[in-house]
Amino acid sequence: MSLVFRNLLKKVGSGAHTHQDLTRAEAAMALKLMLEQTATPAQIGAFLIAHRIKRPTTAEMAGMLDTYQELGPKVAAIESASPVMILSQPYDGRDRTFPLSPLTALVLASAGIPVLQHGGDRMPTKEGVPLIDLWRALGVDWSRVPLEQVSICLAKAHLGFVYLPRHFPAAQGLVPYREQIGKRPPIATLELIWNPYQGASHLVAGFVHPPTETIIRDALYLHGVQEFTTVKGLEGSCDLPRERTAIIGLGRHQPEPWQRLRLHPQDYGMNSSNIPWTTLSEAGEAMQQVLTGEPHPLTASVLWNSGFYLWQGGKAATLTEGMALSQDLLCSGTVRQHCQRLQAVVEQL
């Protein structure tokens, strides 16, 4: 099979003028051979950097997603009035701005919107703070939860997490190559659109560059996904910025299949600098202050972000109402109590 992979490598790595794009099936095969370590280490490293230089196509990204869906872990569907929201984040974390995703997920969960996330430990190339460490700072260690128990946690506490090293060791096996090639490979984009949940869901994917958003959108369309959201968020995440206009793509069944949404923070009294990232210990203290209702600059960013997702999740008719609901949930102690409930559920599992 290494000969098969060599032919695929030759197609993507033949240079600017002679390279060829892979078909969807070929891209799926290439990733499968890498995940199964059938390709040699030299071939894997060469493919990842050559594919980055060539730039992935929509069909290639759809094919790689085929393989993740075939080989990756699967979280069983739960009974829920709301689709599970998949808040995807770059696996290599954040190092400039404060990640809002865990607190946003807690707000949504306390309002009845289940949230599923996935990721691993600190990862090249950025080596920023990963979601798993932020959750630990909140008293929730997802690395201890077996895969079959993730759906139970999702049903009981409206929150779940797929931990790459434990639940998808084949994908974890490609992490060292990121350090060795020194560049983020196209599978970093794949991770933003991978959805391990088996029931009704709403995927949210962040992006930095417009061409990446186009690939994300069209690859999801090839997979028959119609309900999703893209966000030009903080450091490629799905966290809404406050110092600039939030550029958002809405993939919807009706009334139009694709809509562009631009939210100006100043229109909602939310224009300000984004909260900078400092240390994990300080982040833990800040998140606890938000949960307990103590004044903190982070609170406004959480209201802005969670208000948007409450709106998109159908719990509020407008963004303004979503921010008001988020504030009520935080000020009443509902979100803090839900965090405590989540801690108890995870401990039991």
Side-chain angles (χ1 to χ4, degrees):
M1 294 301 287
S2 62
L3 292 176
V4 174
F5 189 85
R6 187 175 69 177
N7 290 330
L8 298 174
L9 175 58
K10 286 172 64 177
K11 291 185 72 172
V12 301
S14 295
H17 302 292
T18 58
H19 75 259
Q20 301 176 55
D21 295 329
L22 302 180
T23 65
R24 178 172 174 174
E26 287 174 334
M29 174 63 73
L31 183 56
K32 185 174 184 178
L33 293 175
M34 288 190 288
L35 290 174
E36 294 176 344
Q37 300 288 324
T38 302
T40 68
Q43 288 176 327
I44 294 174
F47 184 92
L48 291 177
I49 194 65
H51 199 217
R52 173 188 168 88
I53 294 172
K54 181 190 79 68
R55 301 299 183 186
T57 65
T58 295
E60 290 171 343
M61 194 58 62
M64 290 183 169
L65 187 56
D66 289 336
T67 295
Y68 257 47
Q69 292 183 337
E70 176 189 352
L71 301 181
K74 298 171 177 61
V75 177
I78 63 170
E79 292 187 8
S80 174
S82 299
V84 171
M85 191 167 285
I86 314 297
L87 291 181
S88 300
Q89 304 286 330
Y91 278 13
D92 58 0
R94 302 270 286 277
D95 61 4
R96 299 191 305 274
T97 54
F98 199 111
L100 308 174
S101 183
L103 288 177
T104 296
L106 282 169
V107 173
L108 298 182
S110 66
I113 300 176
V115 177
L116 180 66
Q117 296 185 300
H118 50 85
D121 299 315
R122 286 189 181 266
M123 191 177 297
T125 55
K126 183 182 287 187
E127 298 282 357
V129 61
L131 288 174
I132 193 75
D133 284 353
L134 293 163
W135 279 110
R136 286 180 178 131
L138 286 166
V140 180
D141 189 356
W142 290 111
S143 68
R144 300 169 53 196
V145 181
L147 179 64
E148 60 272 15
Q149 304 290 345
V150 173
S151 62
I152 294 176
C153 192
L154 197 58
K156 288 185 175 182
H158 287 165
L159 283 160
F161 195 97
V162 174
Y163 180 54
L164 204 71
R166 179 168 186 166
H167 303 146
F168 200 177
Q172 178 68 21
L174 295 182
V175 172
Y177 292 93
R178 301 187 184 203
E179 176 65 35
Q180 292 163 16
I181 67 177
K183 289 291 184 179
R184 183 182 290 156
I187 55 174
T189 301
L190 170 66
E191 291 156 353
L192 298 175
I193 60 175
W194 174 49
N195 180 358
Y197 183 65
Q198 299 302 290
S201 61
H202 185 115
L203 175 74
V204 185
F207 70 94
V208 176
H209 307 295
T212 301
E213 183 194 30
T214 300
I215 290 175
I216 287 173
R217 180 193 66 192
D218 293 346
L220 290 173
Y221 281 155
L222 286 178
H223 272 262
V225 179
Q226 297 293 328
E227 293 283 338
F228 61 93
T229 299
T230 62
V231 178
K232 185 175 175 60
L234 300 175
E235 298 183 57
S237 74
C238 52
D239 291 347
L240 271 62
R242 293 180 62 197
E243 91 293 357
R244 61 171 171 82
T245 298
I247 301 173
I248 296 159
L250 303 177
R252 301 291 185 267
H253 286 288
Q254 297 293 336
E256 299 176 11
W258 178 255
Q259 305 169 56
R260 176 64 73 202
L261 178 64
R262 288 179 171 83
L263 299 176
H264 308 290
Q266 62 269 25
D267 294 344
Y268 300 88
M270 283 292 170
N271 56 308
S272 181
S273 299
N274 298 308
I275 307 300
W277 174 253
T278 52
T279 65
L280 188 59
S281 61
E282 291 182 3
E285 294 175 2
M287 290 189 292
Q288 290 299 332
Q289 285 183 261
V290 173
L291 291 176
T292 56
E294 299 177 50
H296 196 282
L298 178 62
T299 301
S301 293
V302 174
L303 295 179
W304 173 238
N305 202 58
S306 58
F308 170 75
Y309 289 110
L310 287 171
W311 173 35
Q312 294 302 304
K315 294 298 180 179
T318 65
L319 174 53
T320 300
E321 290 183 12
M323 289 189 293
L325 175 57
S326 179
Q327 186 169 35
D328 289 343
L329 291 169
L330 284 168
C331 292
S332 65
T334 301
V335 181
R336 176 177 56 82
Q337 293 168 8
H338 197 90
C339 185
Q340 294 171 345
R341 179 186 176 191
L342 175 63
Q343 292 169 351
V345 170
V346 170
E347 285 299 318
Q348 291 172 1
L349 295 178

